Amino acid sequence: MKTSWRLIILEALTPLVAILFASLVGSVILAGIGKNPVAVYAGMFRFSFQRFDSVAAILFRSTPLIFSGLAVALGFRAGLFNIGVEGQYFIGAMLAAWAGFGLRGLPAAVHLPLVIALGMAGGALWALLPIWLKVRRGVHEVITTIMMNYIAYSLVHYFVADLYMDRGQKLFMGLGSPQVRTPHIAESARMPTLHGLLAGLGVELPRHVYLNWFFPLALLLAVGFYYLLWRTPFGYEVRAVGLGADAAEAAGIDTRRVLLRTFLLSGAVAGLTGLSPLLSYIGYLDIDFPKNYGFNGIAVALLGKNHPLGIVLSALLFGFLDRGAEGVQALQGVPMDAIAIIQGVMVLSIVVAVELMTRYVRRQQKKEAVS
């Protein structure tokens, strides 16, 4: 067998071997707390894949991670560490929510695209200062984006709790306290679900499943990501800068321009991350809006090796782990802490195994080139 084919097969098998290793470690943990590992894993798969509505739930949970993984990977490809996806999607959600409840009377064909566009604009806007400081003053983007994340949290809290809190909420029988949230987003700005399309294909989804058109949009964006990076001159410049900024500069590429555009584009993609839950099942922005999609996007991008296909598969794996964990916790009494440890071991194993294999492949390729 030729060396190149052997390396390709090894790279393809690496994540599977890592998952097997992590499953063995997880088995030890489960046995230690008195659970049957085989029964738990079987229950995890059965709960996730036995019904189509459960599969749809996995796709719904994977959607924000595809967006955040692509946003992080775009920065990685240019040699930038956009750890600020977390704050960028919060600002994107804030602007989208404002447009969703603040603009009334617009037809859905105008309102929904406008809301999505403002979400992307919010993410790009929040990425502007870090990349400006990077290209003009040499300030490392990791430092600035971390700080911008905390500013975004506080800004969104002020927006929700003070500036635009819905104070006209009606309480049931006057009991309880109002939610700290914005007014509801107009129906014309809500993303339709895939129920109608799937019903036409003979698949009926229950109303509590919110799989929506953001999932096909995420897949389409992944295809666009591939085309941009591997089929356009701009993508060539991005990859050249990522492999070596000095060499790219010497070859005549304006590295500052490439870094600026790439980071803003990464921020715009990040702005889409929170829109699927916001414009589907939640319908308003509140102080408990889902966090950590941005940080999980880093793991998704690393696991997917910054390739769009790998990112989609990686996001689906995260969605499966999340969904399966709920099943074994509810049906088999496995503590959430044990599930979190198993999930962490699995992700860590895959990331380490992929990195070790990548280094091994590079060494083998260098040996081939020398010989």
Side-chain angles (χ1 to χ4, degrees):
M1 183 183 295
K2 290 184 178 179
T3 306
S4 57
W5 277 107
R6 182 173 62 84
L7 294 179
I8 291 173
I9 293 173
L10 282 175
E11 279 194 289
L13 291 177
T14 299
L16 299 178
V17 174
I19 291 174
L20 182 61
F21 171 76
S23 300
L24 292 174
V25 174
S27 299
V28 174
I29 296 172
L30 291 170
I33 60 174
K35 300 293 181 182
N36 183 342
V38 176
V40 171
Y41 288 135
M44 201 168 176
F45 276 91
R46 195 166 49 248
F47 182 77
S48 299
F49 299 116
Q50 198 170 35
R51 300 194 320 269
F52 193 82
D53 63 316
S54 191
V55 175
I58 293 174
L59 301 182
F60 175 72
R61 291 165 190 237
S62 304
T63 303
L65 296 176
I66 296 175
F67 287 127
S68 62
L70 291 174
V72 173
L74 195 54
F76 277 147
R77 284 291 178 183
L80 294 166
F81 195 172
N82 185 9
I83 205 170
V85 170
E86 183 78 9
Q88 289 152 18
Y89 92 73
F90 258 75
I91 296 300
M94 184 180 76
L95 283 187
W98 173 81
F101 69 75
L103 303 177
R104 299 284 176 174
L106 296 175
V110 175
H111 203 179
L112 179 57
L114 179 62
V115 166
I116 294 173
L118 280 175
M120 297 180 70
L125 178 67
W126 211 243
L128 179 59
L129 181 59
I131 193 57
W132 186 85
L133 291 172
K134 169 80 174 182
V135 299
R136 292 294 181 184
R137 298 286 182 244
V139 180
H140 202 289
E141 70 277 8
V142 170
I143 304 298
T144 51
T145 51
I146 288 176
M147 302 308 294
M148 295 291 281
N149 285 342
Y150 287 104
I151 296 173
Y153 286 150
S154 300
L155 194 59
V156 169
H157 190 279
Y158 170 71
F159 176 87
V160 172
D162 294 289
L163 204 57
Y164 286 109
M165 180 177 167
D166 183 4
R167 303 184 188 280
Q169 299 174 53
K170 295 180 180 178
L171 304 178
F172 180 71
M173 298 180 66
L175 301 175
S177 57
Q179 290 179 285
V180 183
R181 63 164 175 81
T182 65
H184 284 279
I185 292 171
E187 284 300 320
S188 56
R190 303 288 288 271
M191 178 59 85
T193 63
L194 291 176
H195 289 61
L197 174 67
L198 293 174
L201 299 174
V203 178
E204 295 290 342
L205 284 181
R207 291 176 61 85
H208 65 267
V209 177
Y210 288 91
L211 180 63
N212 57 66
W213 283 94
F214 273 113
F215 179 70
L217 180 62
L219 298 182
L220 194 61
L221 190 66
V223 175
F225 181 99
Y226 175 82
Y227 182 81
L228 176 71
L229 284 182
W230 279 277
R231 291 290 184 270
T232 66
F234 176 68
Y236 174 80
E237 291 180 345
V238 170
R239 289 183 289 122
V241 172
L243 291 172
D246 292 338
E249 188 83 37
I253 296 175
D254 186 346
T255 56
R256 287 186 176 184
R257 177 181 57 84
V258 172
L259 290 176
L260 180 67
R261 291 182 178 182
T262 306
F263 206 76
L264 291 180
L265 189 57
S266 171
V269 175
L272 292 168
T273 300
L275 299 191
S276 177
L278 176 70
L279 302 180
S280 59
Y281 84 97
I282 298 179
Y284 51 78
L285 189 63
D286 65 359
I287 58 172
D288 294 321
F289 190 69
K291 291 185 173 67
N292 295 326
Y293 285 140
F295 297 124
N296 290 336
I298 297 172
V300 168
L302 291 173
L303 199 57
K305 300 184 71 173
N306 299 318
H307 190 282
L309 178 60
I311 288 168
V312 171
L313 295 176
S314 175
L316 290 174
L317 174 64
F318 273 69
F320 158 67
L321 292 174
D322 194 26
R323 177 68 178 174
E326 284 185 354
V328 295
Q329 183 187 19
L331 302 178
Q332 302 190 26
V334 178
M336 195 61 199
D337 293 340
I339 295 170
I341 292 173
I342 294 171
Q343 288 176 328
V345 170
M346 187 167 291
V347 172
L348 186 63
S349 301
I350 295 173
V351 170
V352 171
V354 169
E355 181 60 28
L356 290 176
M357 180 52 65
T358 301
R359 294 182 183 186
Y360 174 74
V361 168
R362 285 176 182 168
R363 284 200 300 272
Q364 294 301 312
Q365 289 173 337
K366 284 182 179 178
K367 285 182 181 178
E368 279 191 10
V370 171
S371 62

